[in-house]
Amino acid sequence: MKLIHVVGARPNFMKAAPVLSALKQYPSVRQMIVHTGQHYDANMSQVFFQQLSIPEPDINLQVGSGSHAQQTAEIMSRFEVVVTGERPDLVLVYGDVNSTIAAALVCAKLGVKIGHVEAGLRSFDRSMPEEINRLLTDQLADLLFTPSIDGDKNLAREGIAACKVHFVGNVMIDTLVRLLPEAKKNIPSHLPERFILVTLHRPSNVDDDKWLSKAYELLSEVSESIPVLFPVHPRTRKRLESVMNEKPRSSGLKLLTPLSYLEFVGLQTRASLVLTDSGGIQEEATYLGIPCITMRENTERPITVDVGTNVLVGRDLTRARAVLHETLSGRFRRGSIPDLWDGRASERIARVVVS
Ligand code: UD1
């Protein structure tokens, strides 16, 4: 069996790594990695390949940045050449980024079987580019691997045949389980006793200067009483610079370059709380039992709110302040770990793939 993994953006890498390694146990499977080049900075891509021990991509499509249509179209036209030449039996796509839908569309048109890892998640918010990518990829996929049971329910509601859907658990947690000991070894010794870890990069938060300015003020205010560490995504840095010029900066607010996987996980384990708009971090915080405040109106990962440590605050700054205050004074739900977030999701995927 010839199988191509398509990855392109930072959150894909920690999902593909364990699946690649689980499939290595089956000598009948020949694996190839295609990197679309959606993310190209060393600290958004290369460092993840190194730390996660992912082999060098066989092919890099080098599409780079652009509008959604440009990026998706470039990936499609370049990936079509690869699929036509290689004729794989199965293409695995990951998550909800533009690389995911672009590769799935190419395969669907060429009659090549598609597996979607992290299928079925829904925010029910079509203003998010990722929601469009999720909905369409799941319609096209032949094998749908869900991380949590809400995914199965969403897919059933959308008319996807149950025989295509496999509840396997969360591959992101596979990577976390494997690398947690390593990440803990690498925690810097000079970290403050207590701190808040922040990431923000969603267009809904960072592409709106007025809102970003308010969010920045909140972070500055909080950092007067507890240090705030904020590794800044390239998309956010551009927008934040204009906002910051107009405001005084608190010395407790530390803006950092994007961190490697091990550095970030290490910090997460020690954080008093994380404040984020990322999808994967809501899951990691739930697994680690670290309180998580999500600056979004909705989440495609409701299980992190229902059973985990996640609280959605949206754009409600009064609520954000209240939840921050309560959490820092020790009042937060401890949460529990969702079913099948046990470090073995990729083994289950591999078994389905070879069956
Ligand atoms: C993408 C995903 C998002 C994911 C995020 C994680 C889509 C629609 N969005 O968003 O779901 O949570 O990745 O990081 O696929 N840039 C760089 N260097 C890079 C990559 C990007 O400077 O290596 C800058 C470029 O200016 C680019 C901007 O960041 O225009 C946004 O990058 P893009 O890949 O379009 O989307 P993300 O915001 O990273």
Side-chain angles (χ1 to χ4, degrees):
M1 174 194 264
K2 190 173 194 180
L3 185 155
I4 297 181
H5 301 261
V6 178
V7 293
R10 187 170 60 177
N12 291 156
F13 308 138
M14 40 295 229
K15 293 170 194 167
V19 182
L20 269 150
S21 128
L23 281 164
K24 233 164 75 188
Q25 312 309 317
Y26 296 89
S28 61
V29 181
R30 242 174 71 220
Q31 308 191 67
M32 263 181 83
I33 303 173
V34 173
H35 191 320
T36 63
Q38 177 175 348
H39 285 176
Y40 43 86
D41 287 357
N43 59 9
M44 297 292 285
S45 175
Q46 203 185 342
V47 67
F48 290 85
F49 275 71
Q50 285 157 3
Q51 293 191 342
L52 304 172
S53 311
I54 308 176
E56 279 288 302
D58 297 277
I59 297 174
N60 192 322
L61 303 177
Q62 296 190 317
V63 296
S65 300
S67 70
H68 284 271
Q70 281 167 343
Q71 198 173 52
T72 309
E74 277 301 328
I75 298 169
M76 284 184 69
S77 56
R78 297 181 197 192
F79 187 55
E80 185 179 50
V81 179
V82 175
V83 178
T84 312
E86 297 290 339
R87 297 307 307 175
D89 300 293
L90 175 69
V91 170
L92 284 182
V93 297
Y94 294 85
D96 55 15
V97 301
N98 287 343
S99 301
T100 313
I101 178 61
L105 264 169
V106 168
C107 293
K109 300 286 177 94
L110 293 175
V112 170
K113 207 166 148 190
I114 304 158
H116 184 204
V117 177
E118 201 186 83
L121 299 186
R122 297 290 180 268
S123 65
F124 303 100
D125 174 1
R126 291 201 185 191
S127 70
M128 282 181 83
E130 294 82 2
E131 183 71 355
I132 309 291
N133 295 344
R134 288 179 204 117
L135 277 160
L136 299 182
T137 304
D138 285 342
Q139 282 298 323
L140 302 176
D142 302 282
L143 293 172
L144 297 97
F145 299 108
T146 58
S148 47
I149 206 71
D150 51 290
D152 295 56
K153 291 184 189 148
N154 292 332
L155 294 172
R157 202 180 318 105
E158 289 166 19
I160 307 240
C163 59
K164 294 186 190 171
V165 180
H166 303 271
F167 171 38
V168 291
N170 191 325
V171 287
M172 187 108 177
I173 301 302
D174 289 9
T175 294
L176 185 61
V177 168
R178 177 168 75 90
L179 290 177
L180 199 51
E182 182 91 9
K184 285 183 175 166
K185 269 194 244 154
N186 286 295
I187 298 174
S189 52
H190 57 269
L191 273 185
E193 181 82 8
R194 303 180 79 219
F195 63 91
I196 297 179
L197 184 59
V198 174
T199 78
L200 292 175
H201 73 280
R202 296 264 159 226
S204 59
N205 277 326
V206 305
D207 289 2
D208 171 352
D209 281 355
K210 243 186 175 162
W211 167 248
L212 184 61
S213 173
K214 284 191 187 150
Y216 176 72
E217 272 172 33
L218 174 72
L219 297 179
S220 294
E221 175 193 312
V222 175
S223 69
E224 304 281 343
S225 46
I226 175 167
V228 173
L229 305 186
F230 185 179
V232 186
H233 186 285
R235 170 184 210 110
T236 312
R237 179 154 304 262
K238 287 186 194 158
R239 314 293 301 213
L240 202 56
E241 272 160 11
S242 64
V243 163
M244 280 179 352
N245 280 340
E246 300 152 21
K247 313 248 179 239
R249 167 116 61 106
S250 145
S251 62
L253 175 57
K254 306 271 183 247
L255 302 183
L256 314 171
T257 52
L259 299 178
S260 69
Y261 182 76
L262 294 174
E263 285 171 317
F264 190 81
V265 169
L267 288 189
Q268 240 187 128
T269 64
R270 291 277 303 277
S272 303
L273 74 90
V274 293
L275 190 149
T276 191
D277 60 7
S278 146
I281 294 168
Q282 298 170 43
E283 299 180 334
E284 289 171 350
T286 277
Y287 183 84
L288 296 169
I290 304 291
C292 177
I293 298 181
T294 298
M295 218 171 227
R296 283 175 45 188
E297 302 292 341
N298 48 53
T299 177
E300 64 287 343
R301 291 159 162 94
I303 200 148
T304 61
V305 176
D306 296 342
V307 312
T309 58
N310 191 18
V311 180
L312 299 184
V313 297
R315 285 191 171 198
D316 184 343
L317 287 174
T318 312
R319 178 157 157 74
R321 281 191 181 86
V323 179
L324 272 163
H325 184 76
E326 273 172 31
T327 307
L328 291 173
S329 54
R331 276 171 289 143
F332 64 91
R333 196 155 46 102
R334 296 295 184 266
S336 58
I337 297 177
D339 285 349
L340 300 192
W341 290 23
D342 58 358
R344 318 199 67 164
S346 41
E347 288 171 28
R348 293 182 199 103
I349 291 175
R351 277 204 292 275
V352 174
V353 165
V354 297
S355 67

